[in-house]
Amino acid sequence: MTSVPARYAHLDGETAELTDRIMTLASRGLPKMYRTESDEYAFTRIFTTSADGVTARLSGTSLRYAAIVALGVAWLPPDQQPALLGGHSLDEFVSLLVDRQAASGNLGDIALIAWAAAQIGHGRLEDAVRRLREFDRRTAPEYVVECAWVVSALAAARAHLDVEEYLAQARERLLGSVLPGSPVFPHVTGPGLVKPYRAHVACFADQVYPIQALARLHHSGDDPAALAAARTAAAQICRLQGPGGQWWWHYDARTGDVIEGYPVYSVHQHAMGPMALLDLTEAGGGDFAEPIRKGLRWMLGPAELGDGGFAEPLLLDQEGLTVRKVFRGDPRKIVRGLHTATTRVRPGLRLPVVNRVYRPTALDRECRPYEFGWLYFAWLARLGARSLPAGR
């Protein structure tokens, strides 16, 4: 990079070097995830390693991941963007997304595309927000992650369009989803979307995206209640951060306690955790530099793998790949299921024996485009700044 991003001020020498390394890796790997034959991003890139090297293949496609890539790539210099967007300028790429948004039946995809259009002040922003407004049921239960993306999209759009009434509704839905007395966000805003036995289980993403959305909401228009809710959730996940810097996966939406820590995802460590906490810091929500640095260091050599008697890097620099996660390798996710069942009966009730039997020493060798989109966003975005497409 030609200049040091402002957010690097929260890093030390080791973590700044690591972040630079992953950014370089991302710029090498992201073009390999683009399906030129269909002009869209793959869902994932699955790979194997052997003495002969790395073999990788693409699987599926994802409109959601393409929108996240656009959100991140927008913060790179315009002359670097086409190489990461299938040869398109950012403006052209977001136009493709808006075209496809019209046929999407997923609230998260639709919201992310509206957010991408709002972030760059795209000429078709009004169309993108209209589609979001029309599709969003508002009064029916929704996934909290997707509700958070709606808030982020509208907070970005309010500088260009009158979205205040809709934004107020989206804000209340997100803030109102938290169970009384809980420091964390749930997985859904109401009953009916998940089976009752796991209704109390929330995940790391359910915390990250609301923290980010509420921080951005406060920054876009003074909202102390939103900032306070974001700060509460951030303080809880930081308090529970693992000894090796792990951002744990499943939380009890009633109490805020960890239900099951694994898998630990690379994208949480290098991108999503820092992204939410840095947005919150810029919005005036506190200093989270040490948890951010601690989480990044996990990428250099997870203690889980050393404990298993072997070590394998999570970063494959030349291939532009990150190992997706470290997990238990238990058949049918038995540990997660048992912890879900026991904590449903009594919060905090655990079965330590299954943790000893199924140790987290397995690797998921795949890498997804959104991991790099959020990486760019985490380290290059700034609240109050506006990324611009080439030619504007």
Side-chain angles (χ1 to χ4, degrees):
M1 286 176 288
T2 57
S3 61
V4 178
R7 290 186 167 188
Y8 275 45
H10 299 274
L11 302 177
D12 56 18
E14 180 183 44
T15 51
E17 182 180 355
L18 173 61
T19 302
D20 268 346
R21 177 185 172 188
I22 304 175
M23 296 271 274
T24 299
L25 179 157
S27 294
R28 186 176 292 128
L30 196 53
K32 298 178 181 180
M33 298 181 180
Y34 200 80
R35 289 187 174 276
T36 55
E37 71 279 7
S38 56
D39 217 16
E40 55 193 332
Y41 272 99
F43 175 74
T44 192
R45 190 175 174 214
I46 302 167
F47 62 96
T48 57
T49 58
S50 68
D52 297 325
V54 177
T55 303
R57 63 179 177 85
L58 298 180
S59 177
T61 60
S62 177
L63 181 61
R64 171 173 300 193
Y65 293 172
I68 294 172
V69 168
L71 282 162
V73 168
W75 297 96
L76 290 166
D79 62 342
Q80 296 179 23
Q81 294 168 358
L84 304 176
L85 299 174
H88 299 289
S89 70
L90 180 61
D91 191 76
E92 293 168 344
F93 190 74
V94 173
S95 286
L96 286 175
L97 295 180
V98 176
D99 286 341
R100 291 166 180 168
Q101 181 201 40
S104 175
N106 182 276
L107 179 61
D109 296 5
I110 292 168
L112 286 165
I113 292 169
W115 184 4
Q119 179 175 264
I120 64 173
H122 195 274
R124 297 181 63 189
L125 172 60
E126 189 170 355
D127 294 338
V129 171
R130 182 184 304 113
R131 171 62 177 159
L132 177 59
R133 190 192 302 267
E134 291 171 350
F135 185 83
D136 189 355
R137 298 177 293 175
R138 296 184 226 181
T139 57
E142 300 286 358
Y143 292 102
V144 162
V145 163
E146 298 183 346
C147 293
W149 287 337
V150 172
V151 171
S152 290
L154 296 176
R158 73 191 317 187
H160 309 282
L161 302 172
D162 180 6
V163 295
E164 296 306 313
E165 181 180 355
Y166 182 14
L167 179 54
Q169 295 170 347
R171 172 194 181 276
E172 290 305 313
R173 176 174 60 187
L174 185 57
L175 288 175
S177 69
V178 178
L179 299 176
S182 176
V184 300
F185 287 85
H187 188 57
V188 293
T189 62
L193 288 181
V194 297
K195 295 185 182 301
Y197 80 90
R198 72 164 319 277
H200 65 297
V201 180
C203 69
F204 185 69
D206 296 325
Q207 314 315 315
V208 166
Y209 294 120
I211 290 168
Q212 178 183 43
L214 294 171
R216 288 181 164 265
L217 175 63
H218 172 67
H219 189 270
S220 70
D222 189 38
D223 193 332
L227 185 68
R231 187 188 293 118
T232 296
Q236 182 71 356
I237 62 172
C238 289
R239 184 179 71 81
L240 297 174
Q241 188 178 25
Q246 300 96 332
W247 293 118
W248 299 128
W249 182 222
H250 276 159
Y251 301 83
D252 193 320
R254 303 164 299 182
T255 65
D257 296 328
V258 173
I259 289 178
E260 163 58 8
Y262 294 94
V264 174
Y265 289 85
S266 293
V267 66
H268 295 171
Q269 305 294 135
H270 69 67
M272 286 169 55
M275 175 179 73
L277 296 175
L278 289 168
D279 276 2
L280 181 56
T281 293
E282 287 191 19
D287 180 5
F288 302 94
E290 181 51 35
I292 289 170
R293 292 192 295 264
K294 191 175 178 181
L296 279 165
R297 292 189 189 104
W298 182 86
M299 295 291 300
L300 291 171
E304 291 87 347
L305 303 189
D307 289 346
F310 65 93
E312 184 173 337
L314 299 184
L315 304 176
L316 285 72
D317 297 84
Q318 294 306 310
E319 287 295 327
L321 290 164
T322 60
V323 171
R324 176 165 166 77
K325 66 179 184 274
V326 174
F327 66 110
R328 294 187 185 277
D330 47 330
R332 297 182 177 272
K333 302 175 182 176
I334 189 171
V335 177
R336 185 184 309 182
L338 287 171
H339 286 165
T340 295
T342 57
T343 55
R344 181 65 178 174
V345 174
R346 191 177 78 198
L349 180 60
R350 309 295 294 273
L351 298 174
V353 65
V354 299
N355 292 335
R356 293 193 294 270
V357 172
Y358 297 107
R359 301 176 69 192
T361 58
L363 296 180
D364 181 4
R365 295 176 181 84
E366 62 173 295
C367 185
R368 300 183 181 183
Y370 84 99
E371 301 179 31
F372 297 149
W374 285 144
L375 174 75
Y376 295 135
F377 198 99
W379 297 106
L380 302 179
R382 293 295 305 277
L383 293 188
R386 178 166 170 251
S387 56
L388 294 174
R392 290 203 174 187

